[in-house]
Amino acid sequence: MSQILNYLKENESNILDTLLRLTKAESPSHNKVLVDQCGEILRNEYESFIGHEVECIEKESVGNQYKFTYSNNSESEQLLVIGHMDTVWDEGALPIKQDGDLLYGPGVFDMKGGLTITLWALKALKEFNYFGSKKIVFLVTSDEEIGSAHSKDLIIQEAKRSRAVFVPESSIEPDGAVKTERKGAGKFLLKVEGISSHAGINAWDGASAIEELAYQIIDLKKLANRDEGISINVGVVSGGTRSNVIAKEAVAEIDVRITKKDQAEVIQNQILNRPQFIAGTNIEITGEIERFPLERNEQVVELYEVFKEIAANHGYDLKEGSSGGASDGNFTSGIGVPTIDGLGPLGGGAHNESEHVYISNLPYRAALLAEALLKYMK
Ligand SMILES: [Zn+2]
């Protein structure tokens, strides 16, 4: 068995301790105080494991972010591991509980498990004094679950300097497949302004914002294309005041997913340039494709093959798959840097109450990442 895997298996209970410390420090994206506390724990963990090169990037409205650098001199080339410490869970919303080999709790799978794996992968490399010609930058942000507006530039800046990007986000259920493909995503807001009037006395004088919005929704859905992997969801609508008033205002929130980079501009233009259906209404639409897809290109397949081979040496078959969800890996892939995602723990239930990881598998995922980093670091 590999030296690294052996070492990590011996440390299974310590790995669990790290994950518990990070999970107990609950960190809903919108609560800066809590996210900062979680960041402190992460920082302490890294410093006690590796000891050096920690940069805290202070943020005003979201949690502070961290750049950890693993290196024994000042190599210029780098590998990048990206993660986020914020979760979708409000404080106290989800209890932490252990049931046999399963650990349940807020963010254990998405993605404090991934942070834990990365910390321990680096600790294992340090343990055996493995350094190479490239440094490893571990970038941990604080707003991934709310769109990464406060970290996107930083992620792209670090990715530009990197030979490859590794994303220990949650893996694909149930067998822990890694993600070699992710959809791109965009959000749009459609506002309609109509002309209000009395629904009885002046029934024909108004212009209903709600009616216009209804036509818009039907028309928008026509842009979806299952075969091409383009989906459109109008997830929130609101409008009107009373049943006897012709609605002056109506609003829709729209989510768009794409699978190819070149679909982005086309779909964006189609959404932003809407036809009008009801005379007298006014349409205003804002938004954009925020994340390009992570496309399964040759470079990504090459990365996957490396991971697959390491897994085979550890005695299991590592599968690959695609995800409809976007992650910060979409940014790095979007600028052409080879990116492999879904390297996080074996588990399931991201963003729902069954969120869990398999404890005894944590050493395997940490060893997988450690050995891949070792290979690319040389
Ligand atoms: Zn995540």
Side-chain angles (χ1 to χ4, degrees):
M1 192 189 287
S2 97
Q3 202 181 22
I4 287 179
L5 179 58
N6 235 345
Y7 167 76
L8 289 164
K9 283 179 79 166
E10 280 164 11
N11 276 285
E12 184 184 306
S13 67
N14 294 325
I15 297 174
L16 175 61
D17 284 346
T18 299
L19 179 54
L20 283 170
R21 276 193 287 276
L22 288 172
T23 307
K24 280 174 187 161
E26 294 192 48
S27 48
S29 313
H30 292 290
N31 191 327
K32 176 172 168 61
V33 173
L34 288 181
V35 179
D36 280 349
Q37 285 169 6
C38 182
E40 282 297 317
I41 287 169
L42 186 73
R43 178 195 193 123
N44 289 341
E45 213 77 2
Y46 184 85
E47 281 176 341
S48 73
F49 284 4
I50 313 294
H52 57 90
E53 275 210 69
V54 177
E55 188 189 332
C56 177
I57 300 121
E58 299 205 357
K59 295 280 166 186
E60 268 180 27
S61 56
V62 296
N64 295 334
Q65 301 173 352
Y66 286 89
K67 179 181 165 183
F68 304 104
T69 305
Y70 177 88
S71 153
N72 62 353
N73 56 49
S74 54
E75 303 92 347
S76 57
E77 269 208 295
Q78 71 180 37
L79 304 172
L80 183 64
V81 183
I82 51 175
H84 63 88
M85 61 187 135
D86 62 316
T87 75
V88 296
W89 298 103
D90 286 335
E91 190 181 17
L94 194 66
I96 299 171
K97 73 170 195 264
Q98 194 180 332
D99 180 8
D101 194 31
L102 290 175
L103 179 71
Y104 294 88
V108 289
F109 187 52
D110 181 12
M111 63 173 285
K112 290 177 176 177
L115 301 179
T116 301
I117 281 169
T118 309
L119 286 167
W120 276 90
L122 295 175
K123 184 167 166 58
L125 293 176
K126 178 84 191 297
E127 178 72 19
F128 299 108
N129 205 25
Y130 287 145
F131 290 96
S133 65
K134 296 184 193 73
K135 61 187 169 189
I136 299 166
V137 170
F138 178 27
L139 187 66
V140 184
T141 65
S142 55
D143 63 340
E144 196 271 349
E145 299 291 3
I146 51 171
S148 307
H150 303 271
S151 50
K152 182 178 177 178
D153 291 347
L154 179 66
I155 292 165
I156 288 174
Q157 176 192 316
E158 288 300 333
K160 278 182 180 161
R161 301 183 186 134
S162 303
R163 158 78 178 79
V165 180
F166 305 87
V167 190
E169 274 277 8
S170 39
S171 61
I172 300 174
E173 292 178 65
D175 53 8
V178 296
K179 293 169 182 172
T180 50
E181 202 172 24
R182 268 188 189 274
K183 285 191 174 178
K187 282 197 202 97
F188 295 85
L189 186 70
L190 173 60
K191 285 187 189 170
V192 184
E193 198 181 313
I195 300 166
S196 71
S197 67
H198 191 296
I201 303 167
N202 311 100
W204 309 104
D205 296 341
S208 169
I210 290 178
E211 266 178 57
E212 173 67 27
L213 187 66
Y215 281 112
Q216 289 292 342
I217 292 169
I218 303 295
D219 195 59
L220 277 165
K221 286 298 283 187
K222 291 181 189 155
L223 302 175
N225 184 328
R226 193 169 188 163
D227 293 338
E228 298 288 322
I230 300 172
S231 60
I232 304 219
N233 180 52
V234 179
V236 181
V237 289
S238 62
T241 51
R242 301 274 189 282
S243 67
N244 61 0
V245 176
I246 291 175
K248 188 172 164 54
E249 282 171 347
V251 180
E253 292 176 36
I254 304 148
D255 178 288
V256 179
R257 306 282 161 145
I258 56 171
T259 44
K260 299 202 170 55
K261 197 175 172 178
D262 56 19
Q263 293 165 341
E265 208 183 314
V266 179
I267 195 93
Q268 192 167 298
N269 284 336
Q270 285 170 325
I271 292 173
L272 292 176
N273 298 301
R274 300 270 76 223
Q276 188 202 38
F277 296 92
I278 306 251
T281 59
N282 220 325
I283 309 150
E284 187 195 311
I285 183 150
T286 51
E288 61 179 348
I289 299 289
E290 292 152 340
R291 297 177 203 243
F292 288 130
L294 194 166
E295 285 188 51
R296 187 182 181 277
N297 56 29
E298 232 170 84
Q299 294 173 311
V300 174
V301 173
E302 201 179 288
L303 271 171
Y304 167 62
E305 295 294 339
V306 167
F307 278 84
K308 194 176 165 63
E309 195 185 322
I310 296 166
N313 289 336
H314 293 173
Y316 65 100
D317 184 28
L318 183 71
K319 298 202 164 63
E320 63 170 326
S322 67
S323 168
S327 86
D328 286 339
N330 291 63
F331 297 141
T332 62
S333 162
I335 58 162
V337 183
T339 300
I340 187 161
D341 204 331
L343 300 173
L346 187 67
H351 297 201
N352 79 56
E353 285 171 5
S354 69
E355 179 166 6
H356 63 276
V357 295
Y358 288 88
I359 297 161
S360 61
N361 191 259
L362 292 169
Y364 284 87
R365 298 299 274 208
L368 180 67
L369 179 59
E371 290 187 26
L373 288 169
L374 183 59
K375 185 175 164 78
Y376 279 94
M377 189 162 70
K378 281 177 181 162

